[in-house]
């Protein structure tokens, strides 16, 4: 499994086999994380408060969504329909909040933590 596939499928950054989340992105328990990897035993929260840093990753994701949606809204609605532009700009962040929450943590684990991939696990 490549790193991109592991990120897309929310797999463990060390073994790329175990799931980070036990539930679907669309379930009510979307935020519940496994404490350790079921395959290699890696503890995901490598230090207390580690996932607070995911707020910064989530911020980057939301800004990217807001900017793109804002440009598209401005392109389609023009300058006169301000409420349509505001609604269209904000809606992706509201609709994609579970996506942002989960991918912020997954991206943090894969790209901004000291955990290295070990293919022998
Ligand atoms: Zn693992």
């Amino acid at each position: 499994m490549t790193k991109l596939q592991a990120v897309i499928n929310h797999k463990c950054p060390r073994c790329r086999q175990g799931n980070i989340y036990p539930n679907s992105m669309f379930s009510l328990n979307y935020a519940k994380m496994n404490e350790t990897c079921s395959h290699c035993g890696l503890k995901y929260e490598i230090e207390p408060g580690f996932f607070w840093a995911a707020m910064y990753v989530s911020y980057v994701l939301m800004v990217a969504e807001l900017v793109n949606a804002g440009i598209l809204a401005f392109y389609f609605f023009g300058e006169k329909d301000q409420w349509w532009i505001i609604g269209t700009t904000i809606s992706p962040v509201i609709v994609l909040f579970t996506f942002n929450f989960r991918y912020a943590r997954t991206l943090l684990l894969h790209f901004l933590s000291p955990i290295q991939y070990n293919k022998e696990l």
Side-chain angles (χ1 to χ4, degrees), residues 12-18 37-42 44 121:
C12 169
R14 188 164 74 181
C15 66
R16 298 181 185 171
Q17 300 289 320
C37 174
S38 60
H39 188 259
C40 72
L42 172 71
Y44 292 128
L121 288 174

Side-chain angles (χ1 to χ4, degrees), residues 36-93:
T36 59
C37 174
S38 60
H39 188 259
C40 72
L42 172 71
K43 187 179 176 194
Y44 292 128
E45 190 170 16
I46 55 179
E47 61 185 12
F50 175 71
F51 288 112
W52 281 94
M55 286 191 307
Y56 299 107
V57 180
S58 181
Y59 174 75
V60 170
L61 292 173
M62 281 194 243
V63 167
E65 292 161 7
L66 284 169
V67 167
N68 285 307
I71 290 170
L72 281 174
F74 191 76
Y75 177 78
F76 283 111
F77 298 118
E79 292 180 24
K80 293 181 181 175
D81 296 325
Q82 292 176 356
W83 288 109
W84 278 105
I85 292 173
I86 292 169
T88 307
T89 303
I90 295 172
S91 60
V93 173

Side-chain angles (χ1 to χ4, degrees), residues 86-101:
I86 292 169
T88 307
T89 303
I90 295 172
S91 60
V93 173
I94 295 167
V95 171
L96 298 173
F97 77 94
T98 59
F99 174 90
N100 289 336
F101 180 89

